[in-house]
Each structure stands twice: as structure tokens, then as C-alpha cells.
């Protein structure tokens, strides 16, 4: 059951990135906004890798869990945007 | 609950992939449908995730409960066994601490209560000749002769002496066998 709920949240993340791509396809300004948002996410993602120990203390989770979250976030982004662009 | 979970999960995936694969992105109506479908898919996936998380937490709680009940039962059994052992030890210590004659008296009392021989003795004591047998025993312990016992206890002196001797032997045989 734990795997089920993790899989569902993962799918929700993938769909959210697909929705982000859909928003980007609506208008050029939206596209730029989404690009800025993605850039901000990329910076936050890189900083999270650099500050993983302090961030894990701040979020009160283990470093391994934080790293798993970061990797799964990247996978969600790739799958979500990939599905939207390839269809 | 499981059915709801699976339906929500499946519908989230279908609502995510089907509109993107089938609908035309250049048409406005299709684009709008894709957006609505993606929003609904996110809602379905989050709802399914929440249900699955609740189920997982309930399973964890049930597991903890089962472990707690098992530990409680084991603890109760161990406590009762310990108390029983302590009680037996205390009783044994009390018996050992009491004077030896008292222990002997207790032992005899217990024997009198529980052994079958007491029942036999009881039936013997109810016999009318039992008192006479006790007097014979006392006289023998006092060192009295058979003649004295026949004459003074059985009151069978003179011509009845031989009958008295037979009666004495019969009494002795009877009650000593019952002992």
C-alpha cells in the first residue's frame, strides 16, 4: 500500500509537469513564465543537492529520503514534459 | 476502498495520456479539453495517493496494535508464572521456618485428610472392638503379658481363657491388617 501511494504521488507530479507544458503551449508569455519557473526549480534543485545535509535537518527527514525526493522530482519533470512533448 | 483506489489511479493515468495522445493541439476546444483533463487527472492521482496513504497508516497502526497485544499477553503469562513461583517459594519457606514437630503435625494432618488409609482407619475406629484393640496395644506397650490382657481387658479368664486367646489373636490380626 505504501508503494501504491508513492506511485500515485509520482504520477500526480508527472501530470503536473505535463500541465505545466500545456500552460506553456497556450501563449508565448506563458511559455516564458514557465521557462522562468523551470529555471527557478532547476536552481532550487541544484542548491538542494549542495545543501542536502542542512536541508534534511530543516525538513526533519533523512538525507537519503531527501536525495530520493530530488531524484524522483527530476524523473517526474522528465517524464511529464516528455509525455507532453512527444504526444 | 481498494476498488476506489484502483479506479482513481487508473482514471488519473487515462485522463493524463488519452487526451494528449488523441486530441489535436491546434484546436482551441481540444486544447481546453486537454487542460481540463490534466487538472482532473492531477485531482484523481492526489485523491488516490491520499487514500493509499491512509490505508498504509492504518495498516501500520494495526500492526503496532497486534504487536502490543502479543507483548501484553506474553507479559501477562510471564507475570502469572512468576507470581505462582513466588507463592510456592514462600509456602515452602514458611514450612521450612516452622518447628519440626509442627511440620510433622501438619504432615500427619494432611495425611489424615487426603490418604485413603485414614478412611480405613475411620471405618476401623467405628468398629465396636476398636477401643478394646487400643487398650490391648497400650497394655502390650506397657509390657503386660498375654494372659494379663486376656484376663483383664477381654475379661475371659478361667475356662474362657483359650477362647480369649483366640479372640485376642483375631483382634490383633484384624486391626493390624487394616492398618
Amino acid at each position: 500500500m505504501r508503494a501504491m501511494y508513492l506511485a500515485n504521488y509520482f504520477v500526480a507530479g508527472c501530470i503536473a509537469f505535463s500541465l505545466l507544458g500545456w500552460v506553456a503551449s497556450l501563449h508565448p508569455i506563458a511559455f516564458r513564465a514557465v521557462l522562468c519557473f523551470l529555471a527557478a526549480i532547476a536552481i532550487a534543485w541544484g542548491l538542494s543537492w549542495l545543501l542536502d545535509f542542512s536541508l534534511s535537518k530543516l525538513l526533519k527527514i533523512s538525507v537519503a529520503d531527501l536525495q530520493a525526493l530530488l531524484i524522483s522530482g527530476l524523473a517526474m519533470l522528465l517524464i511529464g514534459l516528455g509525455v507532453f512533448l512527444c504526444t | 476502498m481498494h476498488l476506489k483506489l484502483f479506479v482513481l489511479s487508473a482514471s488519473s493515468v487515462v485522463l493524463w495520456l488519452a487526451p494528449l495522445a488523441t486530441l489535436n493541439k491546434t484546436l482551441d476546444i481540444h486544447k481546453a479539453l486537454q487542460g481540463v483533463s490534466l487538472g482532473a487527472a492531477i485531482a484523481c492521482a492526489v485523491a488516490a495517493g491520499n487514500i493509499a496513504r491512509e490505508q498504509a497508516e492504518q495498516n501500520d497502526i494495526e500492526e503496532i496494535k497486534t504487536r502490543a497485544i502479543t507483548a501484553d499477553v506474553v507479559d501477562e503469562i510471564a507475570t502469572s508464572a512468576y507470581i505462582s513461583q513466588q507463592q510456592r517459594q514462600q509456602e515452602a519457606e514458611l514450612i521450612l521456618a516452622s518447628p519440626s514437630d509442627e511440620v510433622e503435625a501438619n504432615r500427619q494432618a494432611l495425611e489424615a485428610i487426603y490418604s485413603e488409609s485414614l478412611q480405613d482407619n475411620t471405618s476401623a475406629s467405628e468398629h465396636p472392638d476398636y477401643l478394646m484393640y487400643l487398650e490391648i496395644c497400650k497394655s502390650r506397650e506397657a509390657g503386660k503379658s498375654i494372659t494379663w490382657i486376656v484376663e483383664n481387658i477381654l475379661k475371659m479368664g478361667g475356662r474362657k481363657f483359650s477362647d480369649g486367646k483366640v479372640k485376642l489373636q483375631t483382634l490383633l490380626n484384624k486391626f493390624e491388617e487394616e492398618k
Side-chain angles (χ1 to χ4, degrees), chain A residues 44-50 52 55 63-76:
Chain A
W45 191 80
L47 280 175
S48 300
W49 275 108
L50 291 173
D52 51 358
L55 204 62
V63 179
D65 285 350
L66 179 68
Q67 289 173 348
L69 277 174
L70 291 172
I71 290 170
S72 60
L74 180 66
M76 283 189 279

Side-chain angles (χ1 to χ4, degrees), chain B residues 14-176:
Chain B
V14 170
L15 285 170
W16 173 33
L17 296 176
L20 291 176
T22 55
L23 297 177
N24 192 352
K25 286 177 186 172
T26 53
L27 292 173
D28 285 346
I29 184 75
H30 286 194
K31 219 167 178 62
L33 274 175
Q34 281 180 343
V36 171
S37 173
L38 286 173
I42 288 178
C44 287
V46 170
N50 287 336
I51 290 168
R53 192 181 61 189
E54 282 175 12
Q55 287 283 318
E57 285 172 358
Q58 278 184 355
N59 287 346
D60 287 348
I61 290 167
E62 287 296 321
E63 196 178 335
I64 290 166
K65 270 186 194 172
T66 309
R67 273 188 288 178
I69 289 167
T70 308
D72 194 35
V73 168
V74 169
D75 182 58
E76 201 170 324
I77 291 167
T79 306
S80 62
Y82 176 73
I83 289 170
S84 171
Q85 188 187 356
Q86 288 285 101
Q87 279 178 346
R88 284 201 298 269
Q89 194 173 347
Q90 282 176 358
E91 285 170 3
E93 282 173 358
L94 280 172
I95 289 167
L96 287 172
S98 60
S100 59
D101 54 341
E102 197 175 322
V103 173
E104 186 63 22
N106 286 337
R107 189 186 64 76
Q108 284 179 351
L110 285 171
E111 273 186 5
I113 290 165
Y114 293 112
S115 69
E116 289 180 5
S117 61
L118 183 74
Q119 290 177 359
D120 295 337
N121 288 340
T122 307
S123 62
S125 63
E126 287 169 357
H127 201 275
D129 290 333
Y130 187 68
L131 287 173
M132 196 175 284
Y133 168 73
L134 288 177
E135 280 188 28
I136 292 164
C137 287
K138 280 181 187 176
S139 305
R140 287 175 74 185
E141 281 172 8
K144 302 291 184 185
S145 63
I146 291 171
T147 310
W148 189 90
I149 290 167
V150 171
E151 286 179 347
N152 295 295
I153 294 173
L154 299 179
K155 311 286 186 192
M156 296 176 83
R159 285 183 294 176
K160 294 182 181 174
F161 182 77
S162 57
D163 295 334
K165 275 182 79 172
V166 172
K167 188 179 179 182
L168 173 65
Q169 198 59 44
T170 310
L171 281 173
L172 288 173
N173 290 339
K174 182 182 177 184
F175 290 109
E176 280 174 0

Side-chain angles (χ1 to χ4, degrees), chain A residues 6-79:
Chain A
L6 289 174
N8 273 298
Y9 283 144
F10 184 79
V11 169
C14 293
I15 298 168
F17 279 108
S18 289
L19 190 65
L20 210 62
W22 176 80
V23 169
S25 69
L26 289 176
H27 199 269
I29 296 172
F31 179 75
R32 285 183 186 180
V34 169
L35 273 183
C36 289
F37 181 67
L38 286 176
I41 287 176
I43 290 165
W45 191 80
L47 280 175
S48 300
W49 275 108
L50 291 173
L51 304 170
D52 51 358
F53 280 94
S54 52
L55 204 62
S56 66
K57 282 178 188 171
L58 189 74
L59 297 174
K60 293 176 182 173
I61 56 173
S62 66
V63 179
D65 285 350
L66 179 68
Q67 289 173 348
L69 277 174
L70 291 172
I71 290 170
S72 60
L74 180 66
M76 283 189 279
L77 185 141
L78 292 175
I79 292 171

